[in-house]
Amino acid sequence: MPVSRRDFLKLAGSSAASLAMLSRMGALPPVLAQDATTVTFGGWGGIAEDEGVKAAIEVFQAENPDIQVVWQHTPSASEYSRVTLTNIAAGTAPDTSFIRSDDYTTLAAGGVLQDITDLVKNDPLLGQENYFIEPQESNRCEVNGRWYGIGSTWVAHHIYYNAELFDEAGITPPGFQDDEIWEWEDFLAICNQLTKDSKGRHPDDAGFDREDIVQWAVDWSTSWWMPLAAAVHSNGGEFINEDGFCALDSPEAMEAMQRVADLVHVHHVAPRGASIESLGMNNTQMINGGRLAMGVDGSWALSWMNPSLLDVEMGTGALPKMAKPASVMQAHFHSILSSTQHPEAAWRWLRFLATPFYQEHFAKIGLWIPNQSSMLTEAGLEGWVREGIHPANYSQFATDYLPKHGVAAYLPPGWIEARNDFIVPAFEALTNGGQAADIFPNAVRQANEVLMFARDDM
């Protein structure tokens, strides 16, 4: 007998590894019809995602024996984007797929993704009013008023911190409530206190040796759009404006990006990427080893940077605010490719991916934050918040902070080319010590020429 959804969730516990174990133990045997329709599903992810998808496929097939789902897994998200675009060009795209948020509108506008608007709106579950968190879900899914995918979840950046270093310094760490969010100037002062060289001197002390730093305050990447966009929106700027053009050349945007870059190049409270590489460590290892007090990273990192996996006490809190609190929300989409020969079977699988059942087992391991309203209620939180995985205040991030301060990312048609050719090189120049005011006006002008061309071509 197939295992029910309720029993499956009980058996699965809190780890994707447990989900995969069910399959290996034979708890979820595939019982497929001989003439089952095969639906391919492309995606990326680490071990937790890979095993979680495989186990979810077993459950889906037990309930839908007339459909066989074949998982086409690529470990790296950036590599998967290249693979997807190559397969689309070659006419070998999967039936259903993860679609990166960077690529979504470009592929939708180009006719690569199937229009699922009516299927979503007429579905007895997904079509319910406020089934998804709105208006954020519609804002990201709609391209010219039509849906071409469903957001897999929400993810956003926040602070991970080594609570023991805060205790040693006598500093109260940040939280997610409005009165627990640091002002930018307070953040800088705290970063100065939490940074020291081998002789215990801080950056504002005489004789501080910036080439001999043994403890940094914060790691905040300037090489990727998402953590920088959070700072831009916090400073009153926009990453993409309401007209669908890149706005990183505004005074507010350039000031925000410069402030983040200055953490490395001016204040010496954040390590250069080369410094981290030379230590042979990532930000998780540095936090765990007492070399880093805070890491600004995506919420998905909780799946490997959670209390159960670290040797030190770890906590989470909101990003510091400039003009206002902000963090950018996004995630990959689940879409049906227009080239599919099995649209009905593909929709049944895609719909399954948008149920609380599927989303819960990734939220429980710290990888995802729900985009479904019911999962943020008191009862809904019990289904996925787990002691040992989620810090005590973490539900506040999902239920209070993001609905108030989260900014849903929209990346317009043409963004793939604009990003690769102009915006990514601009971020690299900023990371290498260039000044935002010298870099972004020209980069944004060229990027927006691409976006204008893409708009005219629609």
Side-chain angles (χ1 to χ4, degrees):
M1 293 291 291
V3 176
S4 71
R5 292 187 178 190
R6 181 179 298 277
D7 289 338
F8 174 82
L9 287 171
K10 289 179 180 178
L11 287 167
S14 62
S15 73
S18 299
L19 299 178
M21 188 177 296
L22 293 173
S23 175
R24 292 195 293 269
M25 292 171 59
L28 300 171
V31 184
L32 298 174
Q34 289 185 347
D35 57 349
T37 299
T38 297
V39 171
T40 51
F41 180 48
W44 69 82
I47 295 174
E49 288 168 298
D50 180 32
E51 293 187 343
V53 170
K54 289 176 180 176
I57 288 172
E58 297 271 10
V59 176
F60 174 79
Q61 291 179 162
E63 297 181 350
N64 299 270
D66 57 327
I67 300 174
Q68 179 181 20
V69 178
V70 176
W71 170 228
Q72 299 176 345
H73 175 244
T74 301
S76 165
S78 57
E79 175 65 12
Y80 180 73
S81 184
R82 185 193 66 77
V83 169
T84 300
L85 296 177
T86 299
N87 287 338
I88 289 169
T92 56
D95 298 291
T96 57
S97 179
F98 286 22
I99 300 294
R100 293 182 68 192
S101 60
D102 297 49
D103 305 340
Y104 174 71
T105 54
T106 300
L107 297 181
V112 174
L113 307 182
Q114 181 175 301
D115 185 334
I116 59 170
T117 310
D118 295 337
L119 292 170
V120 173
K121 301 303 181 184
N122 296 328
D123 189 86
L125 178 64
L126 276 57
Q128 293 177 14
E129 184 177 4
N130 292 323
Y131 176 77
F132 297 107
I133 298 168
E134 295 288 3
Q136 289 95 329
E137 191 67 29
S138 294
N139 287 346
R140 67 167 164 176
C141 291
E142 289 182 357
V143 179
N144 295 327
R146 308 295 291 178
W147 287 47
Y148 296 87
I150 300 172
S152 57
T153 180
W154 283 117
V155 293
H157 278 70
H158 57 70
I159 287 174
Y160 296 84
Y161 62 83
N162 181 326
E164 295 175 11
L165 296 183
F166 275 79
D167 288 343
E168 290 174 8
I171 298 171
T172 301
F176 294 114
Q177 298 296 324
D178 285 352
D179 61 356
E180 299 173 331
I181 300 173
W182 292 331
E183 300 285 347
W184 184 260
E185 293 304 319
D186 295 331
F187 168 67
L188 287 180
I190 289 168
C191 284
N192 185 75
Q193 290 179 260
L194 291 171
T195 302
K196 56 187 179 182
D197 64 16
S198 62
K199 296 186 181 300
R201 295 172 298 206
H202 304 289
D204 63 352
D205 291 336
F208 174 76
D209 187 353
R210 66 186 189 188
E211 301 300 328
D212 187 29
I213 299 174
V214 296
Q215 178 181 302
W216 281 274
V218 65
D219 174 43
W220 190 326
S221 175
T222 54
S223 62
W224 187 40
W225 70 268
M226 197 173 171
L228 276 180
V232 166
H233 281 274
S234 178
N235 204 39
E238 294 178 293
F239 184 64
I240 302 293
N241 63 27
E242 61 182 11
D243 296 322
F245 293 105
C246 183
L248 291 179
D249 57 345
S250 74
E252 296 85 358
M254 291 190 293
E255 179 184 50
M257 293 187 290
Q258 192 63 58
R259 283 178 170 181
V260 177
D262 285 350
L263 295 173
V264 173
H265 301 291
V266 175
H267 303 295
H268 310 298
V269 297
R272 297 171 183 262
S275 298
I276 295 178
E277 292 174 6
S278 68
L279 293 171
M281 305 171 75
N282 55 35
N283 63 358
T284 305
Q285 293 166 322
M286 290 182 70
I287 288 174
N288 199 41
R291 299 297 303 273
L292 180 67
M294 295 177 284
V296 172
D297 211 330
S299 51
W300 59 86
L302 190 66
S303 63
W304 62 81
M305 205 187 314
N306 63 65
S308 72
L309 297 176
L310 299 185
D311 300 318
V312 298
E313 183 183 353
M314 184 276 288
T316 51
L319 302 178
K321 64 181 178 181
M322 297 181 188
K324 58 184 179 181
S327 189
V328 170
M329 303 163 61
Q330 64 98 33
H332 71 271
F333 294 82
H334 293 142
S335 295
I336 300 172
L337 281 292
S338 299
S339 57
T340 182
Q341 299 299 305
H342 310 291
E344 191 275 335
W347 166 248
R348 283 163 61 186
W349 168 241
L350 201 75
R351 181 187 185 278
F352 175 82
L353 298 177
T355 61
F357 162 73
Y358 181 75
Q359 194 162 100
E360 270 188 7
H361 74 243
F362 287 118
K364 286 191 295 186
I365 64 171
L367 195 66
W368 287 2
I369 297 173
N371 67 340
Q372 299 166 15
S373 301
S374 64
M375 293 179 66
L376 300 184
T377 64
E378 185 174 348
L381 291 170
E382 294 179 359
W384 63 274
V385 175
R386 291 291 181 270
E387 185 177 356
I389 301 295
H390 300 89
N393 67 341
Y394 203 76
S395 62
Q396 296 172 3
F397 183 57
T399 60
D400 299 332
Y401 181 88
L402 288 180
K404 288 169 60 177
H405 305 306
V407 180
Y410 174 80
L411 301 170
W415 180 248
I416 298 174
E417 181 182 349
R419 173 199 66 200
N420 291 345
D421 292 351
F422 304 110
I423 301 304
V424 168
F427 289 158
E428 291 173 350
L430 181 69
T431 299
N432 291 329
Q435 296 296 299
D438 297 332
I439 298 166
F440 283 90
N442 190 50
V444 169
R445 178 186 60 78
Q446 295 176 93
N448 282 339
E449 288 175 359
V450 173
L451 299 181
M452 177 65 78
F453 181 81
R455 173 180 292 188
D456 293 343
D457 200 41
M458 287 174 59

